[in-house]
Every structure is written in C-alpha cells, then in structure tokens.
C-alpha cells in the first residue's frame, strides 16, 4: 500500500483529485468507481472545479457506484442515485447513460444484484474510490463479509439505521432496511483503489486496515492483498499508524 498523509481534509481531497485527474488524462474513456458518504465530497468539488477549468472532462468517462438502498425510489433525495447527481453528476459534463449504480428501487433484488455484477464484469474500474466506516466497512460490506463476496443484498444493522435516521426525518422507521452493495471481490477487481480517510474518528479503522490482520473482521483489510492501493489519509486519522509505515 502506498500511504499519503495530508495535513487535513482539504489537502486529502486535493491529492485524491490529482490522482484521479491523472487517470482521466491518461485514459479519457476510463471507468471510475465512485462512493457516497461525506468523505469524498471534497474530491467531488475538486472534480467539478477541474471540469470548469477545462483541466478534465467526463465526456467519455463511465462510472460505477458502490452501493444503493433497497426499496427507495431513485428520485428520493436520500437515494445514492440522488446523492451522486447532486454532489457530482449534475455539475460535470458526464452523459447520463454512462452513470451506473446498483438498482434498488424496485423489482427482484436478487436479479438486480446479478445484473449489476454482470455489468461490473464488463466494466473493470480503472480506479475505485472508497471511504471507510469506523468499523472498517467498505461499501456496505460490514465486518465478517467474505472477501470473495460479489454484488449482494445487505441487511442494515440497527446501528447503521439509527445513524442514518437524521437523513430520514429523524425517524428510524423511514430508513431502508436493506441495501445492495458491490462485494469485496468486486472492489478488489479494480485496477487501482484509492481510499480516503479523514478525522480522528477513523484512526482506529485506519490502523486495523493497514496494520491489523488481513481478516474479514475488518473488511478494508482485504486491501492489504491488492497490488495497487493508495491510501490518502489526513493527520488526524493517521495518529495511530506506525511511523515507519508512512512512506512520504
Ligand atoms: P463517511 O462514510 O464518508 O460518511 O464517513 C464512509 C463509509 O461509511 O464508507
């Protein structure tokens, strides 16, 4: 793993932008794997600015996203489809037909998973952006998910639903009970993975991912076996890391 420690969130977002920009410039029709959550928003702001400045274009870029809620209409403001449009897609020159997220709005969810998995088989990510959960999850792959997992349905834990209630009129009953997520194997199939980690609340998860056992108890530790992983981590999240592992 290559580990880049940045001063703060803004510098982490800028560094992540530069890495993705370089992929987009080297391969204008690249496939970007994208993530929701608060962590990548600064990166998305930088991507929007990069398009405005004519530094990059999404004209021929295709995207695949990690996950989506089950039984939530795409038009719902809290769907990940809406999140990605609001935070990035509506503000850059991407073609709608080049945007891909798991489909959780309705239908046979097992079939929706299979179809997404098939799509990922044809669309290997040139670079996959990840955040990490405080418990080491990546996408909705919670602790003890098999490293061999592919796109699947996840039952959201009571804790996750309580955490997310603030986005659903503060009523846990409004929070979806399931999600569809890329599996860990789908993430490992990406040619390059960039994982963004910010804030003291993520310090223990970062340590487990980088220095702990490679074990499903910390889903992100699967990345120890990936040949091309770049960790972009701010100082607050890097406090527990062994200094000798920091190569910048
Ligand atoms: P966050 O979520 O970016 O909102 O902290 C990350 C994650 O849970 O994957």
């Amino acid at each position: 793993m290559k580990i880049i420690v940045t001063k703060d969130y803004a510098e982490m977002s800028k560094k992540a932008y530069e890495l993705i920009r370089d992929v987009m410039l080297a391969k204008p029709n690249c496939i970007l794997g994208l993530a929701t959550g608060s962590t990548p928003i600064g990166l998305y702001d930088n991507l929007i600015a990069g398009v405005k400045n004519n530094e990059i274009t999404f004209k021929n870029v295709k995207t695949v996203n990690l996950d989506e809620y089950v039984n939530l209409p795409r038009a719902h403001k809290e769907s990940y489809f809406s999140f990605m449009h609001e935070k990035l897609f509506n503000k850059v020159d991407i073609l709608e037909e080049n945007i891909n997220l798991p489909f959780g709005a309705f239908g046979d969810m097992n079939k929706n998973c299979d179809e997404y998995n098939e799509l990922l088989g044809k669309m290997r990510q040139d670079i996959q952006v990840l955040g990490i959960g405080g418990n080491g999850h990546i996408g909705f792959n919670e602790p003890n998910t098999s490293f061999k997992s592919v796109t699947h349905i996840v039952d959201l834990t009571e804790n996750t639903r309580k955490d997310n209630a603030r986005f659903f009129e503060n009523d846990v009953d409004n929070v979806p009970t399931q999600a569809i997520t890329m599996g860990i194997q789908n993430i490992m199939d990406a040619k390059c993975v960039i994982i963004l980690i910010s804030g003291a609340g993520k310090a223990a998860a970062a340590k487990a991912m980088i220095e702990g056992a490679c074990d499903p108890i910390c889903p992100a530790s699967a990345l120890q076996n990936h040949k091309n992983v770049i960790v972009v981590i701010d100082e607050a999240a890097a406090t527990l890391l062994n200094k000798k592992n920091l190569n910048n």
Side-chain angles (χ1 to χ4, degrees):
M1 284 184 189
K2 178 171 183 200
I3 302 172
I4 300 172
V5 182
T6 64
K7 188 162 55 63
D8 54 17
Y9 178 80
E11 197 181 296
M12 178 198 77
S13 303
K14 183 85 194 310
K15 187 71 213 170
Y17 167 70
E18 289 165 5
L19 293 165
I20 293 196
R21 175 199 62 196
D22 291 351
V23 172
M24 292 173 78
L25 292 177
K27 188 176 176 190
N29 63 344
C30 63
I31 296 172
L32 298 183
L34 299 177
T36 52
S38 49
T39 308
I41 291 176
L43 160 65
Y44 296 158
D45 289 342
N46 276 274
L47 287 167
I48 292 163
V51 170
K52 284 219 169 79
N53 302 335
N54 290 319
E55 200 175 11
I56 51 168
T57 174
F58 280 77
K59 221 168 73 186
N60 297 307
V61 169
K62 294 192 167 92
T63 64
V64 289
N65 255 81
L66 285 174
D67 44 19
E68 179 58 285
Y69 287 119
V70 161
N71 287 331
L72 195 66
R74 280 191 154 178
H76 190 288
K77 66 176 184 20
E78 295 303 337
S79 74
Y80 289 167
F81 182 88
S82 292
F83 177 99
M84 288 306 303
H85 280 77
E86 184 197 322
K87 303 294 186 208
L88 179 67
F89 298 147
N90 288 345
K91 297 171 182 166
V92 296
D93 55 347
I94 193 165
L95 299 177
E96 191 64 32
E97 64 260 35
N98 287 340
I99 295 170
N100 301 282
L101 289 93
F103 188 77
F106 56 81
D108 175 342
M109 293 302 158
N110 287 318
K111 186 160 165 271
N112 294 351
C113 287
D114 290 347
E115 283 175 5
Y116 199 63
N117 214 46
E118 216 170 283
L119 182 86
L120 293 173
K122 292 183 227 146
M123 294 185 63
R124 187 173 171 216
Q125 308 94 308
D126 289 291
I127 188 162
Q128 173 69 54
V129 176
L130 293 180
I132 185 171
N135 63 0
H137 74 208
I138 45 177
F140 266 120
N141 295 289
E142 299 293 344
N144 295 318
T145 304
S146 163
F147 284 175
K148 291 277 155 233
S149 55
V150 295
T151 310
H152 62 286
I153 300 168
V154 182
D155 292 325
L156 302 186
T157 63
E158 207 47 37
N159 267 345
T160 300
R161 293 183 67 232
K162 277 190 196 140
D163 276 355
N164 290 358
R166 64 188 192 279
F167 301 119
F168 292 86
E169 291 94 35
N170 283 319
D171 185 350
V172 71
D173 291 337
N174 291 338
V175 182
T177 56
Q178 292 183 314
I180 295 181
T181 185
M182 272 189 206
I184 294 176
Q185 186 61 56
N186 301 120
I187 293 169
M188 292 295 283
D189 286 341
K191 292 179 197 165
C192 176
V193 174
I194 170 175
I195 181 157
L196 309 184
I197 314 180
S198 173
K202 298 287 173 71
K207 187 168 180 71
M209 174 188 101
I210 297 166
E211 297 174 4
C214 181
D215 186 284
I217 193 72
C218 175
S221 69
L223 298 171
Q224 292 175 14
N225 286 330
H226 194 289
K227 287 196 180 66
N228 193 3
V229 175
I230 305 169
V231 183
V232 190
I233 182 168
D234 67 15
E235 280 175 7
T239 48
L240 300 178
L241 297 181
N242 212 326
K243 294 283 173 287
K244 73 173 167 35
N245 291 337
L246 305 180
N247 45 12
N248 73 316

PDB file of all heavy atoms in Angstrom, residues 86-105:
ATOM      1  N   GLU A  86     -26.531  15.114  -7.180  1.00  0.00           N
ATOM      2  CA  GLU A  86     -26.428  16.426  -6.533  1.00  0.00           C
ATOM      3  C   GLU A  86     -24.967  16.822  -6.294  1.00  0.00           C
ATOM      4  O   GLU A  86     -24.570  17.968  -6.499  1.00  0.00           O
ATOM      5  CB  GLU A  86     -27.189  16.368  -5.209  1.00  0.00           C
ATOM      6  CG  GLU A  86     -27.245  17.697  -4.489  1.00  0.00           C
ATOM      7  CD  GLU A  86     -27.631  17.511  -3.029  1.00  0.00           C
ATOM      8  OE1 GLU A  86     -28.486  16.650  -2.752  1.00  0.00           O
ATOM      9  OE2 GLU A  86     -27.050  18.225  -2.189  1.00  0.00           O
ATOM     10  N   LYS A  87     -24.155  15.863  -5.850  1.00  0.00           N
ATOM     11  CA  LYS A  87     -22.784  16.207  -5.448  1.00  0.00           C
ATOM     12  C   LYS A  87     -21.809  16.238  -6.622  1.00  0.00           C
ATOM     13  O   LYS A  87     -20.739  16.835  -6.520  1.00  0.00           O
ATOM     14  CB  LYS A  87     -22.238  15.210  -4.422  1.00  0.00           C
ATOM     15  CG  LYS A  87     -23.065  15.071  -3.176  1.00  0.00           C
ATOM     16  CD  LYS A  87     -23.074  16.347  -2.369  1.00  0.00           C
ATOM     17  CE  LYS A  87     -23.789  16.135  -1.038  1.00  0.00           C
ATOM     18  NZ  LYS A  87     -24.399  17.355  -0.522  1.00  0.00           N
ATOM     19  N   LEU A  88     -22.140  15.550  -7.724  1.00  0.00           N
ATOM     20  CA  LEU A  88     -21.159  15.482  -8.814  1.00  0.00           C
ATOM     21  C   LEU A  88     -21.791  15.508 -10.205  1.00  0.00           C
ATOM     22  O   LEU A  88     -21.522  16.427 -10.995  1.00  0.00           O
ATOM     23  CB  LEU A  88     -20.305  14.204  -8.661  1.00  0.00           C
ATOM     24  CG  LEU A  88     -19.243  13.997  -9.742  1.00  0.00           C
ATOM     25  CD1 LEU A  88     -18.158  15.079  -9.642  1.00  0.00           C
ATOM     26  CD2 LEU A  88     -18.599  12.601  -9.626  1.00  0.00           C
ATOM     27  N   PHE A  89     -22.629  14.520 -10.514  1.00  0.00           N
ATOM     28  CA  PHE A  89     -23.005  14.305 -11.910  1.00  0.00           C
ATOM     29  C   PHE A  89     -23.712  15.513 -12.539  1.00  0.00           C
ATOM     30  O   PHE A  89     -23.476  15.825 -13.709  1.00  0.00           O
ATOM     31  CB  PHE A  89     -23.893  13.060 -12.044  1.00  0.00           C
ATOM     32  CG  PHE A  89     -23.227  11.775 -11.624  1.00  0.00           C
ATOM     33  CD1 PHE A  89     -23.965  10.749 -11.034  1.00  0.00           C
ATOM     34  CD2 PHE A  89     -21.861  11.576 -11.809  1.00  0.00           C
ATOM     35  CE1 PHE A  89     -23.358   9.552 -10.650  1.00  0.00           C
ATOM     36  CE2 PHE A  89     -21.243  10.382 -11.420  1.00  0.00           C
ATOM     37  CZ  PHE A  89     -22.004   9.371 -10.839  1.00  0.00           C
ATOM     38  N   ASN A  90     -24.594  16.192 -11.766  1.00  0.00           N
ATOM     39  CA  ASN A  90     -25.323  17.329 -12.341  1.00  0.00           C
ATOM     40  C   ASN A  90     -24.405  18.509 -12.624  1.00  0.00           C
ATOM     41  O   ASN A  90     -24.803  19.457 -13.302  1.00  0.00           O
ATOM     42  CB  ASN A  90     -26.438  17.806 -11.393  1.00  0.00           C
ATOM     43  CG  ASN A  90     -27.586  16.827 -11.340  1.00  0.00           C
ATOM     44  OD1 ASN A  90     -27.686  15.941 -12.195  1.00  0.00           O
ATOM     45  ND2 ASN A  90     -28.459  16.973 -10.353  1.00  0.00           N
ATOM     46  N   LYS A  91     -23.186  18.463 -12.096  1.00  0.00           N
ATOM     47  CA  LYS A  91     -22.307  19.629 -12.183  1.00  0.00           C
ATOM     48  C   LYS A  91     -21.108  19.393 -13.087  1.00  0.00           C
ATOM     49  O   LYS A  91     -20.193  20.219 -13.150  1.00  0.00           O
ATOM     50  CB  LYS A  91     -21.847  20.020 -10.778  1.00  0.00           C
ATOM     51  CG  LYS A  91     -23.030  20.428  -9.904  1.00  0.00           C
ATOM     52  CD  LYS A  91     -22.656  20.608  -8.461  1.00  0.00           C
ATOM     53  CE  LYS A  91     -23.895  20.969  -7.644  1.00  0.00           C
ATOM     54  NZ  LYS A  91     -23.665  20.847  -6.209  1.00  0.00           N
ATOM     55  N   VAL A  92     -21.063  18.229 -13.748  1.00  0.00           N
ATOM     56  CA  VAL A  92     -19.974  17.941 -14.693  1.00  0.00           C
ATOM     57  C   VAL A  92     -20.587  17.484 -16.021  1.00  0.00           C
ATOM     58  O   VAL A  92     -21.800  17.306 -16.121  1.00  0.00           O
ATOM     59  CB  VAL A  92     -18.982  16.875 -14.149  1.00  0.00           C
ATOM     60  CG1 VAL A  92     -18.277  17.387 -12.896  1.00  0.00           C
ATOM     61  CG2 VAL A  92     -19.679  15.546 -13.884  1.00  0.00           C
ATOM     62  N   ASP A  93     -19.720  17.284 -17.017  1.00  0.00           N
ATOM     63  CA  ASP A  93     -20.217  17.006 -18.370  1.00  0.00           C
ATOM     64  C   ASP A  93     -20.339  15.503 -18.658  1.00  0.00           C
ATOM     65  O   ASP A  93     -20.079  15.061 -19.775  1.00  0.00           O
ATOM     66  CB  ASP A  93     -19.312  17.698 -19.406  1.00  0.00           C
ATOM     67  CG  ASP A  93     -17.847  17.299 -19.257  1.00  0.00           C
ATOM     68  OD1 ASP A  93     -17.477  16.689 -18.216  1.00  0.00           O
ATOM     69  OD2 ASP A  93     -17.052  17.597 -20.173  1.00  0.00           O
ATOM     70  N   ILE A  94     -20.781  14.747 -17.655  1.00  0.00           N
ATOM     71  CA  ILE A  94     -20.940  13.297 -17.870  1.00  0.00           C
ATOM     72  C   ILE A  94     -22.269  13.030 -18.591  1.00  0.00           C
ATOM     73  O   ILE A  94     -23.254  13.765 -18.395  1.00  0.00           O
ATOM     74  CB  ILE A  94     -20.876  12.530 -16.526  1.00  0.00           C
ATOM     75  CG1 ILE A  94     -20.723  11.025 -16.774  1.00  0.00           C
ATOM     76  CG2 ILE A  94     -22.074  12.838 -15.627  1.00  0.00           C
ATOM     77  CD1 ILE A  94     -20.286  10.235 -15.537  1.00  0.00           C
ATOM     78  N   LEU A  95     -22.289  11.989 -19.416  1.00  0.00           N
ATOM     79  CA  LEU A  95     -23.535  11.588 -20.080  1.00  0.00           C
ATOM     80  C   LEU A  95     -24.306  10.670 -19.133  1.00  0.00           C
ATOM     81  O   LEU A  95     -23.723   9.748 -18.542  1.00  0.00           O
ATOM     82  CB  LEU A  95     -23.242  10.839 -21.379  1.00  0.00           C
ATOM     83  CG  LEU A  95     -22.476  11.623 -22.439  1.00  0.00           C
ATOM     84  CD1 LEU A  95     -22.192  10.742 -23.656  1.00  0.00           C
ATOM     85  CD2 LEU A  95     -23.248  12.871 -22.849  1.00  0.00           C
ATOM     86  N   GLU A  96     -25.617  10.902 -19.040  1.00  0.00           N
ATOM     87  CA  GLU A  96     -26.445  10.121 -18.107  1.00  0.00           C
ATOM     88  C   GLU A  96     -26.301   8.613 -18.353  1.00  0.00           C
ATOM     89  O   GLU A  96     -26.256   7.815 -17.420  1.00  0.00           O
ATOM     90  CB  GLU A  96     -27.914  10.565 -18.243  1.00  0.00           C
ATOM     91  CG  GLU A  96     -28.842  10.031 -17.171  1.00  0.00           C
ATOM     92  CD  GLU A  96     -28.550  10.513 -15.746  1.00  0.00           C
ATOM     93  OE1 GLU A  96     -28.077  11.657 -15.562  1.00  0.00           O
ATOM     94  OE2 GLU A  96     -28.786   9.717 -14.819  1.00  0.00           O
ATOM     95  N   GLU A  97     -26.185   8.246 -19.632  1.00  0.00           N
ATOM     96  CA  GLU A  97     -26.117   6.795 -19.932  1.00  0.00           C
ATOM     97  C   GLU A  97     -24.795   6.158 -19.486  1.00  0.00           C
ATOM     98  O   GLU A  97     -24.660   4.934 -19.502  1.00  0.00           O
ATOM     99  CB  GLU A  97     -26.376   6.517 -21.417  1.00  0.00           C
ATOM    100  CG  GLU A  97     -25.351   7.090 -22.372  1.00  0.00           C
ATOM    101  CD  GLU A  97     -25.812   8.384 -23.032  1.00  0.00           C
ATOM    102  OE1 GLU A  97     -26.515   9.183 -22.369  1.00  0.00           O
ATOM    103  OE2 GLU A  97     -25.468   8.601 -24.203  1.00  0.00           O
ATOM    104  N   ASN A  98     -23.842   7.000 -19.106  1.00  0.00           N
ATOM    105  CA  ASN A  98     -22.559   6.456 -18.644  1.00  0.00           C
ATOM    106  C   ASN A  98     -22.477   6.301 -17.124  1.00  0.00           C
ATOM    107  O   ASN A  98     -21.441   5.936 -16.576  1.00  0.00           O
ATOM    108  CB  ASN A  98     -21.414   7.342 -19.139  1.00  0.00           C
ATOM    109  CG  ASN A  98     -21.187   7.159 -20.630  1.00  0.00           C
ATOM    110  OD1 ASN A  98     -21.603   6.159 -21.200  1.00  0.00           O
ATOM    111  ND2 ASN A  98     -20.548   8.137 -21.257  1.00  0.00           N
ATOM    112  N   ILE A  99     -23.612   6.603 -16.454  1.00  0.00           N
ATOM    113  CA  ILE A  99     -23.662   6.543 -14.989  1.00  0.00           C
ATOM    114  C   ILE A  99     -24.297   5.220 -14.567  1.00  0.00           C
ATOM    115  O   ILE A  99     -25.370   4.863 -15.063  1.00  0.00           O
ATOM    116  CB  ILE A  99     -24.528   7.705 -14.453  1.00  0.00           C
ATOM    117  CG1 ILE A  99     -23.856   9.049 -14.764  1.00  0.00           C
ATOM    118  CG2 ILE A  99     -24.808   7.540 -12.967  1.00  0.00           C
ATOM    119  CD1 ILE A  99     -24.752  10.259 -14.497  1.00  0.00           C
ATOM    120  N   ASN A 100     -23.640   4.501 -13.686  1.00  0.00           N
ATOM    121  CA  ASN A 100     -24.185   3.208 -13.229  1.00  0.00           C
ATOM    122  C   ASN A 100     -24.151   3.109 -11.709  1.00  0.00           C
ATOM    123  O   ASN A 100     -23.116   3.350 -11.093  1.00  0.00           O
ATOM    124  CB  ASN A 100     -23.359   2.051 -13.807  1.00  0.00           C
ATOM    125  CG  ASN A 100     -23.359   2.061 -15.326  1.00  0.00           C
ATOM    126  OD1 ASN A 100     -24.331   1.639 -15.949  1.00  0.00           O
ATOM    127  ND2 ASN A 100     -22.297   2.579 -15.927  1.00  0.00           N
ATOM    128  N   LEU A 101     -25.309   2.769 -11.142  1.00  0.00           N
ATOM    129  CA  LEU A 101     -25.389   2.424  -9.714  1.00  0.00           C
ATOM    130  C   LEU A 101     -26.205   1.150  -9.618  1.00  0.00           C
ATOM    131  O   LEU A 101     -27.030   0.879 -10.492  1.00  0.00           O
ATOM    132  CB  LEU A 101     -26.145   3.497  -8.911  1.00  0.00           C
ATOM    133  CG  LEU A 101     -25.488   4.857  -8.670  1.00  0.00           C
ATOM    134  CD1 LEU A 101     -25.886   5.845  -9.751  1.00  0.00           C
ATOM    135  CD2 LEU A 101     -25.921   5.419  -7.311  1.00  0.00           C
ATOM    136  N   PRO A 102     -26.017   0.384  -8.536  1.00  0.00           N
ATOM    137  CA  PRO A 102     -26.914  -0.760  -8.352  1.00  0.00           C
ATOM    138  C   PRO A 102     -28.356  -0.250  -8.366  1.00  0.00           C
ATOM    139  O   PRO A 102     -28.618   0.871  -7.907  1.00  0.00           O
ATOM    140  CB  PRO A 102     -26.547  -1.284  -6.960  1.00  0.00           C
ATOM    141  CG  PRO A 102     -25.207  -0.732  -6.653  1.00  0.00           C
ATOM    142  CD  PRO A 102     -25.101   0.562  -7.401  1.00  0.00           C
ATOM    143  N   PHE A 103     -29.302  -1.069  -8.864  1.00  0.00           N
ATOM    144  CA  PHE A 103     -30.694  -0.644  -8.911  1.00  0.00           C
ATOM    145  C   PHE A 103     -31.453  -1.293  -7.758  1.00  0.00           C
ATOM    146  O   PHE A 103     -31.676  -2.502  -7.744  1.00  0.00           O
ATOM    147  CB  PHE A 103     -31.330  -1.018 -10.258  1.00  0.00           C
ATOM    148  CG  PHE A 103     -32.700  -0.425 -10.425  1.00  0.00           C
ATOM    149  CD1 PHE A 103     -32.853   0.917 -10.744  1.00  0.00           C
ATOM    150  CD2 PHE A 103     -33.837  -1.191 -10.214  1.00  0.00           C
ATOM    151  CE1 PHE A 103     -34.111   1.494 -10.865  1.00  0.00           C
ATOM    152  CE2 PHE A 103     -35.106  -0.622 -10.326  1.00  0.00           C
ATOM    153  CZ  PHE A 103     -35.244   0.722 -10.655  1.00  0.00           C
ATOM    154  N   GLY A 104     -31.840  -0.461  -6.780  1.00  0.00           N
ATOM    155  CA  GLY A 104     -32.525  -0.996  -5.607  1.00  0.00           C
ATOM    156  C   GLY A 104     -33.950  -0.499  -5.474  1.00  0.00           C
ATOM    157  O   GLY A 104     -34.623  -0.805  -4.496  1.00  0.00           O
ATOM    158  N   ALA A 105     -34.406   0.300  -6.448  1.00  0.00           N
ATOM    159  CA  ALA A 105     -35.698   0.988  -6.291  1.00  0.00           C
ATOM    160  C   ALA A 105     -36.868   0.011  -6.230  1.00  0.00           C
ATOM    161  O   ALA A 105     -37.774   0.178  -5.418  1.00  0.00           O
ATOM    162  CB  ALA A 105     -35.896   2.000  -7.416  1.00  0.00           C
TER     163      ALA A 105
END
